[in-house]
Structures are given as structure tokens and as C-alpha cells.
Amino acid sequence: MENTLGPDNAIWDDGDWVSWDEINQQIQYKEWRARYPNADLSLVSVFESLISTAEEYYQLTGRHLQVYGDIGELYGAITHGIKLHRNYAKGSDGRLGNDFVEVKTITPFKNCDVVEINLDRNFSKILIVKINSDFEVRGKLVDRKALPKGKVRGHRLRIDWALVEP
């Protein structure tokens, strides 16, 4: 049976039938635009699906999927407009205007809110993304020169989330 639009599944608007699915999608996009003004809206559903899947998997199994780095990068893309590099690109994770951005993600199973940054990498900004135990996601975008002084070991800097000012 063909899925035709009519009074049971659509409304008549300016000479055309408009499906309720289309209306709901437009409402969803407006909500996303308000929440993520810099977002490529096509990525928001992927981001929300990934975080939801990670949470559901954890609730069912007590184990974590290995997706948190990707979630952190997608968060940067939708909240800040970071253009992500291809997977495993050397130097940084993406670009924001003329700045190279490194993304570090604090996972919900980590014992402490510390990230380790390789200072040999080529970046001028760092986005530290924190996914808490309730699977809520927050981020702090910081200029490299504004990073707080932390413990340096070789070319690696350890920074506590609480010490980072966005």
C-alpha cells in the first residue's frame, strides 16, 4: 500500500499536504538550532544516538563502549563548529577557523577528571570534553597559551578539569 498523505497523517498547508513527520522534524531542528547554534544539524542526531547507545549499553551490561573519543569530537563539531580531520590524522583533531584544535575526552568511568596533553602535537586550542556518570556532556575550549600549569612529564601535560577556565 502506498503511503499517501491525507487528513489522517498530514495537514493541508498552502495547497500541499505536509506530513506530521516533516513538521516534527522541523520542530526538532529548531530545538537543536537553539541548543547548538554552531552545529551542522545532520551531526546532532548522530551525536545524540551515540551518547544514548553508550548509556543504554552501560545500563544493560555494566560495561562501556569504546565511543567516548568520537562523542567528544562530535560534541566539538556541533557546539563549536570544529571541522574534524580524517580519522588518525597527525597533529590535531580538527580545525576552527585558522586554529588547529586538539580534543580530549574525560570518560564517565574515569576515576579522576584529568586529561593528558601531548605538547608535541600541533594545536593552538584544546577542547576538553567531560562525559559524566549520568552521560551528560560538557566542554571547555581553551587557547593553548591559556592552559593552566600542571604536571609536565616529558612532553605531556596533565590538567585537571576543575582548573581549566573556558
Side-chain angles (χ1 to χ4, degrees):
M1 179 178 191
E2 189 176 321
N3 200 8
T4 51
L5 297 178
D8 293 334
N9 62 358
I11 62 169
W12 185 257
D13 182 42
D14 200 25
D16 285 319
W17 287 105
V18 180
S19 74
W20 287 111
D21 288 341
E22 192 174 336
I23 292 168
N24 290 335
Q25 182 181 38
Q26 291 302 316
I27 292 169
Q28 180 69 69
Y29 273 39
K30 283 186 180 215
E31 289 172 359
W32 286 344
R33 180 59 64 210
R35 187 170 179 193
Y36 307 113
N38 299 315
D40 172 349
L41 293 181
S42 63
L43 296 178
V44 176
S45 65
V46 174
F47 168 77
E48 289 190 349
S49 291
L50 265 180
I51 197 76
S52 176
T53 299
E55 181 178 13
E56 183 178 357
Y57 182 80
Y58 177 73
Q59 289 172 348
L60 290 172
T61 67
R63 299 182 358 218
H64 289 277
L65 291 173
Q66 300 299 308
V67 296
Y68 298 112
D70 294 323
I71 289 170
E73 289 179 8
L74 278 170
Y75 179 83
I78 66 172
T79 59
H80 296 287
I82 296 170
K83 303 294 181 212
L84 298 173
H85 297 320
R86 70 187 189 288
N87 288 342
Y88 308 110
K90 300 264 186 216
S92 64
D93 294 309
R95 193 175 188 116
L96 184 58
N98 292 328
D99 292 311
F100 289 108
V101 181
E102 177 75 6
V103 179
K104 290 294 185 183
T105 305
I106 300 169
T107 61
F109 56 84
K110 251 186 131 176
N111 293 336
C112 61
D113 291 342
V114 173
V115 294
E116 189 170 279
I117 302 164
N118 183 347
L119 297 174
D120 285 341
R121 296 203 57 178
N122 181 28
F123 64 92
S124 52
K125 292 186 182 291
I126 184 163
L127 175 64
I128 302 173
V129 178
K130 181 178 177 182
I131 305 169
N132 70 18
S133 59
D134 292 325
F135 292 85
E136 298 166 334
V137 184
R138 294 183 298 152
K140 296 179 180 181
L141 183 65
V142 183
D143 285 331
R144 181 178 183 151
K145 61 185 174 227
L147 287 172
K149 303 302 177 223
K151 296 179 184 175
V152 178
R153 188 176 194 186
H155 295 278
R156 298 189 175 278
L157 173 65
R158 292 178 51 87
I159 298 177
D160 190 305
W161 166 267
L163 301 178
V164 176
E165 293 293 326

